[in-house]
């Protein structure tokens, strides 16, 4: 995927399952990026160094490997509201303007959860999350005000929550 118009063309092609999805660099120049047509990533999802303001992956239900969202300069929000499972580590790290990520339907993460160094991060909705099959580190998200893990029953490792001054 190179530009918003490429995303539109991809979605118009009818493809809904991809092996790996990497959104990076100047690919989503400055605006909203809509890939809501994608229902499954059988491999890895990475959103890195993009200057898109928002990314819509609201149709995505499953990721077969890790999810990495890191080093994004202008990205403010990501809609992953239909995602139910991540079969690897979830990393959300070093995103300058990111304020919200909607992961409200995720029930299981089969790896670690690493959410750190997001200076504008205000809200993370993981209300359906029941189990983390790894460790959880939520650190240095200075403006974090809402962190909903109200259904969480089990973490198979350390759970560390520190330096999140907003809560």
């Amino acid at each position: 995927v190179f530009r918003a118009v490429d995303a539109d063309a991809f979605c118009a092609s009818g493809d809904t399952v991809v092996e790996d999805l990497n959104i990076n660099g100047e690919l989503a120049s400055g605006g909203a990026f809509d890939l809501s047509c994608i229902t499954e990533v059988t491999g890895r999802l990475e959103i890195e160094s993009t200057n898109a303001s928002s990314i819509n992956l609201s149709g995505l239900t499953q990721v077969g490997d890790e999810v990495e969202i890191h080093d994004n300069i202008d990205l403010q929000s990501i809609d992953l509201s239909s995602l139910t499972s991540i079969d690897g580590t979830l990393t959300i790290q070093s995103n300058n303007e990111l304020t919200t990520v909607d992961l409200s339907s995720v029930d299981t993460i089969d790896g670690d959860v690493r959410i750190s160094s997001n200076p504008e991060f205000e809200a993370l909705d993981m209300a359906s999350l029941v189990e983390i099959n790894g460790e959880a580190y939520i650190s240095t998200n200075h403006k974090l005000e809402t962190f909903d893990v109200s259904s969480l029953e089990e973490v198979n490792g350390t759970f560390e929550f520190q330096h999140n001054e907003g809560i």
Side-chain angles (χ1 to χ4, degrees):
V1 177
F2 297 102
R3 298 166 291 159
V5 68
D6 296 326
D8 294 342
F10 175 81
C11 286
S13 75
D15 291 329
T16 61
V17 177
V18 296
E19 183 176 340
D20 291 312
L21 180 58
N22 188 325
I23 301 170
N24 65 25
E26 299 283 328
L27 305 179
S29 186
F33 203 61
D34 186 357
L35 284 170
S36 58
C37 65
I38 295 176
T39 59
E40 183 179 355
V41 175
T42 60
R44 182 170 169 246
L45 169 61
E46 182 174 22
I47 301 170
E48 170 191 18
S49 303
T50 184
N51 61 345
S53 60
S54 66
I55 296 177
N56 181 354
L57 288 163
S58 62
L60 185 62
T61 61
Q62 183 175 352
V63 175
D65 199 348
E66 59 193 19
V67 174
E68 292 187 68
I69 302 165
H70 63 94
D71 300 302
N72 292 287
I73 297 167
D74 296 323
L75 185 61
Q76 297 171 8
S77 66
I78 303 171
D79 185 346
L80 291 162
S81 58
S82 296
L83 185 62
T84 59
S85 66
I86 299 171
D87 294 339
T89 295
L90 168 65
T91 302
I92 302 172
Q93 182 175 325
S94 301
N95 298 286
N96 293 350
E97 300 296 324
L98 189 63
T99 58
T100 59
V101 177
D102 186 342
L103 289 162
S104 58
S105 297
V106 171
D107 58 22
T108 304
I109 298 174
D110 285 328
D112 294 340
V113 174
R114 298 183 187 118
I115 302 169
S116 66
S117 303
N118 301 290
E120 300 298 319
F121 204 40
E122 296 174 356
L124 181 63
D125 183 351
M126 295 172 59
S128 297
L129 184 62
V130 175
E131 184 174 17
I132 299 172
N133 290 312
E135 299 185 343
Y137 301 99
I138 295 87
S139 176
T140 320
N141 302 290
H142 300 295
K143 292 188 178 179
L144 187 63
E145 295 174 355
T146 305
F147 181 66
D148 187 350
V149 289
S150 55
S151 297
L152 187 61
E153 295 176 3
E154 187 172 354
V155 177
N156 295 313
T158 302
F159 188 96
E160 191 172 308
F161 190 89
Q162 64 183 2
H163 307 297
N164 300 294
E165 289 82 8
I167 292 181

